[in-house]
Structure formats: structure tokens, C-alpha cells
Amino acid sequence: MDAGDRPVLHARRQKQILLHSGILQRDFCSPLAQSWGNGTFEDVTQKAGLGDPTSKTLGIAVLDFDNDGWPDLLFSNDTQPNKLYRNNGNGTFAEKAVVAGIAFSEDGVARAGMGVDAADYDHSGFPSLLITNFSNQMLSLYHNEGKGLFVDEAPRSEIGRASLLTLGFGCFFFDYDLDGWPDVLVANGHIDADIQRVQANVKYAMPPHLFRNVGMGKFEEVTKSLGPAFASPRVGRGAAYADINNDGRLDLLLSTNAGPVYLFRNEAQGAAASNRSLRIKLIGTKSNRNGIGATIKLTAAGRNANSNAPQRLQLPLRQRTGLNLWPRPQRNSRHYRNSLAQRPARSPFQRWRRPDPRRI
């Protein structure tokens, strides 16, 4: 990284903590607490413009949706419109969800928003949004069109069709096969154990969703191909990913309602076995010590996924990204599809029943 590619950091000495409100009180907003660096905090919720008591927030994502260098906030709300707060750069926020097109579904209904994440899944240079909803509502996949506008691509994609009857909680973008394209994981499970008595096609225990990014803004569900252990129905709630054994591949942790936690180790097979990752750890010197808020520009093999525009990666603490994208054929080419058909049947995700503490 040369001098012209130095990360642009927008950080203050004061740190801020955002807590989601949940649904315990109808008039309780999401509080924003500012740290003064001496062990004390100040509630700046009202001052920052976040004092909306109508939200029932279950998920929060921090993103820079307009690429102005200031972190914005996305709140996924249960039966209330989602909220998108644009950072004004002066300690205050302006709510933009309605004009941005993410407050409601396409038919103008406030859905049961729960899990939420943001990533540039199509290498457009702008982060798009993923929100899990109730059964019969499907996932929200809001593509960032630029200029503050989003379009929900889920109704026209396999993500929408596959998630119509599932109830999603935890979700995130992550690159499980290290091909440079962010994939999607969703933990599913209903809240009513007797739901099948009312809706025969909706189950209480549900398999998770894993949607593989095949490029060009398209996804395909690969859950069943990842083995019976991974695709088994469970009453899923939370999910997380990390490289637990430092082999360069992202592993999965799924939690369940009143049940066990499942740890899956990523064992790449077939074409994905040759993919590699780059891990970057940022250390701030003049900014915050973890370099939170930095933007790293990466160009591989003299090219990137967006013609001459460099790939931009938002890096929270440590981030892995696949580096095998550019030298390979296009993902929608016949050559690549044929290579997928030759993959062994064995799942890349194997349940790790007895982890070796020395490898974690």
C-alpha cells in the first residue's frame, strides 16, 4: 500500500456505543452512549437525532452507504418501518429510510425485521443490505444503486423464493469458498412450536440458508449440498463466523433456541480447495488502536471485479477476503459451471464434535 492508498480514518478520541432497544418498552429508543475516555459515558441519543420511540429494533448494522467516509446506522425493526440514519459528520444523524427505499416491503408493508448485515456483494463499490424477516415475508436484499437509493432484489432472486416460508434470525455476508464474492448465511427457526397446526408448510425447526454468490448479483442456495449435519432442521437463532483453526477458511457457529450450539469447520472441497485468503490486521497509531473506520483498496492481478475501479473492503478489526476471483473464468461461464458439477459430494462444512483446544 503506497502513500496514495493510505486508509482514510474518521475517528475521534471519544468512542460511542449503540445499544438496540428490542421490544421491552414501546417508548424506548435505541440509546447512543458516548465515552469520554475516563470510564464514564454520556447519553447523546436525543442530541444525535436517534430518539425515535416508535422503533422496535432487533438488529443494527454500521455501514457507510453513501461512501462519504462517515459511518451510518441501519436499524431493522419488528413490525415497524426500518430506519436508515445518515451520518451528518457533526455528531448528528438524519433518518433516510423512506426516501432510500428500505423502510417497507415493495407493497408498502412494515415487515418483522430481525437480523441485518451490509456488504458490497456485487463489487459495485457500495454496500448493499440484508435483513431477515418473518415467515411468508421472505428476506430483504436491498441493492445499493448509489445516490442514496436501494432496490429490493429478493423477490426476483432465489434468495426471495427460497426464504418465503422460513423465519430468519441471525444473518451475515461472508465468503465461505474464498472466491472473492460475499455469500449469505441465515439462521432459521420459528417462534411458535405449533405453527404447523395453522400453516402446514411452515415448520418450527428449519434448516439454515447458505446462498452462494455466483456473480452478476445472483445467488444459488447450496445448503443441501453441504451435508446432512449442516442442513438438518433446527430452531436457529444466532450465527457467527470466524477462522477457528487458522487455516484461512471461515468456520460457522449456529445457536438454537433452548438447544445446543453447533460448530462447523470449513473443509473446502473441489475447486474451492485451491482458493486462498488474505487476512489484514489494522493497528492505529494516530487513530483508534484497531483502525476501525479504515478503508482499504485492493487490486489483484492488475485487474479487479469492477473494471478499472479498485475493490474496496471495509475492515472491522480483522477481515478475510478471497483472492482467487480475478485470475479465474467468469462465474457464469460454462467452464466454471462444469467445474462445479465435478465437486465431490462431501460437505465443505463438517461438524466439529471434539475441537482440539491447541488448534483454536
Side-chain angles (χ1 to χ4, degrees):
M1 182 180 298
D2 58 30
D5 288 329
R6 291 175 181 171
V8 180
L9 303 179
H10 299 278
R12 301 180 179 182
R13 294 188 61 184
Q14 299 87 359
K15 298 180 180 178
Q16 295 178 325
I17 297 177
L18 182 67
L19 307 175
H20 70 77
S21 61
I23 57 176
L24 298 180
Q25 286 183 243
R26 293 183 60 189
D27 59 349
F28 191 69
C29 58
S30 297
L32 181 66
Q34 180 167 305
S35 171
W36 293 106
N38 58 2
T40 64
F41 291 83
E42 178 187 357
D43 186 348
V44 294
T45 308
Q46 299 296 332
K47 185 188 304 182
L50 301 176
D52 181 1
T54 65
S55 298
K56 295 194 295 183
T57 303
L58 296 181
I60 296 173
V62 180
L63 70 156
D64 183 7
F65 77 90
D66 53 1
N67 285 344
D68 65 353
W70 292 94
D72 310 303
L73 302 173
L74 170 63
F75 297 170
S76 60
N77 291 323
D78 182 17
T79 69
Q80 298 294 323
N82 299 317
K83 299 296 174 65
L84 179 64
Y85 289 95
R86 182 180 181 274
N87 194 324
N88 295 324
N90 58 3
T92 66
F93 294 82
E95 210 287 300
K96 300 291 185 181
V98 173
V99 297
I102 70 165
F104 305 96
S105 65
E106 283 190 330
D107 51 1
V109 176
R111 290 181 280 189
M114 287 175 277
V116 61
D117 197 17
D120 180 9
Y121 71 82
D122 63 343
H123 298 163
S124 66
F126 290 90
S128 296
L129 312 176
L130 176 70
I131 301 176
T132 59
N133 298 304
F134 213 76
S135 54
N136 297 305
Q137 294 183 340
M138 77 175 54
L139 293 171
S140 303
L141 181 64
Y142 291 108
H143 180 261
N144 193 331
E145 303 288 309
K147 299 182 180 180
L149 298 176
F150 292 81
V151 173
D152 191 359
E153 296 291 344
R156 293 168 292 279
S157 72
E158 185 166 345
I159 281 186
R161 293 188 293 270
S163 65
L164 181 59
L165 297 179
T166 55
L167 195 162
F169 278 86
C171 68
F172 46 75
F173 292 97
F174 80 130
D175 188 3
Y176 86 95
D177 53 359
L178 298 181
D179 64 353
W181 296 91
D183 310 299
V184 169
L185 186 283
V186 181
N188 295 316
H190 212 278
I191 61 174
D192 184 357
D194 299 320
I195 185 61
Q196 278 192 274
R197 295 183 180 181
V198 181
Q199 301 182 53
N201 293 328
V202 179
K203 308 296 192 296
Y204 179 51
M206 303 174 177
H209 287 308
L210 203 159
F211 296 100
R212 183 170 178 268
N213 190 331
V214 297
M216 306 297 291
K218 307 296 182 181
F219 292 85
E220 63 179 8
E221 183 162 23
V222 295
T223 306
K224 292 182 179 180
S225 70
L226 300 180
F230 180 76
S232 297
R234 54 180 64 89
V235 187
R237 290 297 184 261
Y241 67 88
D243 181 6
I244 60 174
N245 56 343
N246 285 326
D247 66 350
R249 305 187 182 280
L250 298 176
D251 310 296
L252 289 175
L253 188 75
L254 299 178
S255 67
T256 60
N257 184 38
V261 174
Y262 297 86
L263 178 62
F264 295 94
R265 184 177 60 191
N266 190 334
E267 296 183 351
Q269 304 293 320
S274 62
N275 293 352
R276 297 293 181 263
S277 66
L278 170 68
R279 183 171 68 179
I280 301 174
K281 180 179 180 180
L282 301 180
I283 301 177
T285 55
K286 298 181 180 180
S287 64
N288 60 82
R289 63 183 180 182
N290 290 317
I292 297 174
T295 298
I296 289 183
K297 296 181 179 181
L298 174 65
T299 300
R303 297 183 295 121
N304 49 61
N306 198 25
S307 299
N308 295 323
Q311 171 67 17
R312 303 180 65 189
L313 303 173
Q314 302 294 331
L315 300 179
L317 303 185
R318 292 187 180 189
Q319 179 75 35
R320 287 192 185 275
T321 179
L323 286 180
N324 209 30
L325 169 64
W326 296 277
R328 299 177 67 167
Q330 293 296 317
R331 302 193 59 157
N332 61 345
S333 69
R334 177 179 299 181
H335 180 278
Y336 191 81
R337 289 187 181 275
N338 288 343
S339 67
L340 285 178
Q342 298 170 7
R343 289 184 302 175
R346 185 183 178 189
S347 167
F349 284 105
Q350 302 295 328
R351 185 174 171 185
W352 206 352
R353 296 180 180 274
R354 295 181 180 178
D356 185 348
R358 295 170 298 180
R359 300 183 66 184
I360 301 178

